[in-house]
Amino acid sequence: MRILITGSQGQVGSLLEKKLRDECELLAVGREKLDISDRNSVIEIVTNFKPDYIINAAAYTAVDKAESEEALAFAINSDGPSFLAEAANRIGAVILHISTDYVFDGNDESIYTENMSVGPQGIYGKSKLAGEKAIAEKTDKYIILRTAWVFGECGHNFVKTMLRIVKERDSIAVVGDQYGGPTYAGDIADTLIKMVESIASGKHSRWGIYHYTGMPYVSWYEFAEAIFSQALEHTLIKKVPSLSSIPSSAYPTPAKRPKNSRLDCTKIKEQFDIEPSDWKLALKEISNYK
């Protein structure tokens, strides 16, 4: 089996490379080796390597900066997936692509299923949705995996931010009216691998969009509480800071965040027998996220 991983230096891509390096014929590339927004480079690498599966873990994820870097966000999040899907279709490969809860407006009170109406509020979400649509237009054999609130050993994420801030402040205010499912990057990597294995074994024939996040759903404030609790238990901090819950309105950002990022993971359980990410279990390894 040949697998091409893009975004190999990111939160999910780095763990995919680690988990797959001895399991298949693997080509893992970061941006220095492949700029996915360069169509000619994408076609050349895919045509030469001829992967059976392309896992696109590359993305522009600077949510706030995207508001002033629209062209770059769309180049990476829309054009890139489009070129990868086109290349995959040329050689008959399957493409698996990571997307986001930001494709929804976050205003619905119910948990979001895959077939609910999308309505991104900012450039980041719009660029990711454009990438989803481009993949569906360019190939039939695709899996789009929407996830949210990703954290892990690599890259920038909320867990690392909290562990850094607690060293600088005795009191911390965290938004308490935005809800979602924290998702461990290693579990996303495992999920993508399981999906590849299922497809390769012939057990799967249903392409399309799937949701995968952690459970239980919490607010950012509740997630911060859990982070500091584990940090104290692992002696990463000497005491838990004074933590207060604030509304989104008290923490304005260039890009508006969805208040409801809760994604329904029923479909992926039914089709692939994959359970939601156990983020509380993943947090027990908090020493790795420093």
Side-chain angles (χ1 to χ4, degrees):
M1 184 188 300
R2 288 174 173 241
I3 298 179
L4 169 64
I5 298 172
T6 62
S8 64
Q9 296 173 336
Q11 290 198 87
V12 177
S14 59
L15 294 175
L16 277 168
E17 180 178 8
K18 182 178 180 181
K19 293 171 182 290
L20 287 172
R21 65 166 60 119
D22 298 323
E23 303 300 323
C24 64
E25 192 170 346
L26 181 68
L27 177 59
V29 293
R31 190 170 186 182
E32 75 288 347
K33 292 184 179 179
L34 176 62
D35 177 359
I36 63 170
S37 66
D38 183 333
R39 180 179 178 274
N40 290 337
S41 295
V42 170
I43 298 297
E44 180 181 1
I45 281 188
V46 172
T47 302
N48 289 340
F49 183 60
K50 293 182 175 61
D52 301 298
Y53 299 90
I54 298 172
I55 303 178
N56 181 33
Y60 179 104
T61 58
V63 175
D64 288 325
K65 286 182 69 177
E67 295 301 306
S68 58
E69 296 183 343
E70 181 174 354
L72 180 59
F74 270 85
I76 298 172
N77 291 343
S78 178
D79 296 344
S82 178
F83 300 150
L84 287 166
E86 176 189 350
N89 191 57
R90 283 191 179 194
I91 63 169
V94 173
I95 182 168
L96 297 93
H97 170 75
I98 302 172
S99 192
T100 175
D101 58 300
Y102 277 75
V103 300
F104 297 108
D105 62 18
N107 294 325
D108 203 288
E109 294 184 0
S110 60
I111 298 173
Y112 284 96
T113 61
E114 289 83 352
N115 59 0
M116 289 177 70
S117 297
V118 292
Q121 300 180 94
I123 298 302
Y124 169 68
K126 290 176 181 177
S127 67
K128 291 296 287 184
L129 179 59
E132 290 187 5
K133 292 180 177 179
I135 289 172
E137 290 172 358
K138 292 296 178 67
T139 185
D140 294 327
K141 296 195 296 184
Y142 68 90
I143 295 288
I144 292 170
L145 189 71
R146 291 176 181 156
T147 189
W149 294 24
V150 182
F151 70 94
E153 295 88 342
C154 300
H156 301 288
N157 56 67
F158 185 75
V159 175
K160 287 189 173 186
T161 297
M162 290 297 102
L163 293 178
R164 174 179 54 80
I165 290 177
V166 74
K167 296 176 183 178
E168 305 167 355
R169 308 176 193 170
D170 293 326
S171 61
I172 300 174
V174 181
V175 171
D177 60 358
Q178 296 173 15
Y179 293 86
T183 316
Y184 173 50
D187 290 339
I188 298 174
D190 286 339
T191 290
L192 290 164
I193 292 170
K194 288 176 183 176
M195 295 177 106
V196 166
E197 291 172 343
S198 181
I199 296 167
S201 68
K203 296 178 181 178
H204 169 79
S205 60
R206 187 174 176 185
W207 310 105
I209 298 172
Y210 291 84
H211 288 173
Y212 179 77
T213 64
M215 294 284 279
Y217 306 119
V218 288
S219 68
W220 287 114
Y221 171 80
E222 291 168 327
F223 190 26
E225 282 187 315
I227 292 167
F228 292 134
S229 176
Q230 284 298 320
L232 183 66
E233 185 175 326
H234 287 76
T235 66
L236 297 181
I237 58 176
K238 294 181 180 179
K239 65 176 182 177
V240 174
S242 174
L243 197 61
S244 59
S245 174
I246 60 173
S248 300
S249 58
Y251 188 71
T253 54
K256 186 178 179 182
R257 268 59 175 173
K259 284 198 171 185
N260 178 16
S261 291
R262 298 175 300 159
L263 302 183
D264 188 295
C265 300
T266 302
K267 181 180 174 183
I268 199 169
K269 168 62 178 177
E270 292 175 346
Q271 294 296 314
F272 289 95
D273 197 28
I274 292 174
E275 299 287 348
S277 173
D278 186 343
W279 63 265
K280 288 187 175 181
L281 179 63
L283 263 192
K284 292 184 180 296
E285 304 300 323
I286 196 168
S287 297
N288 296 331
Y289 310 143
K290 293 184 293 182

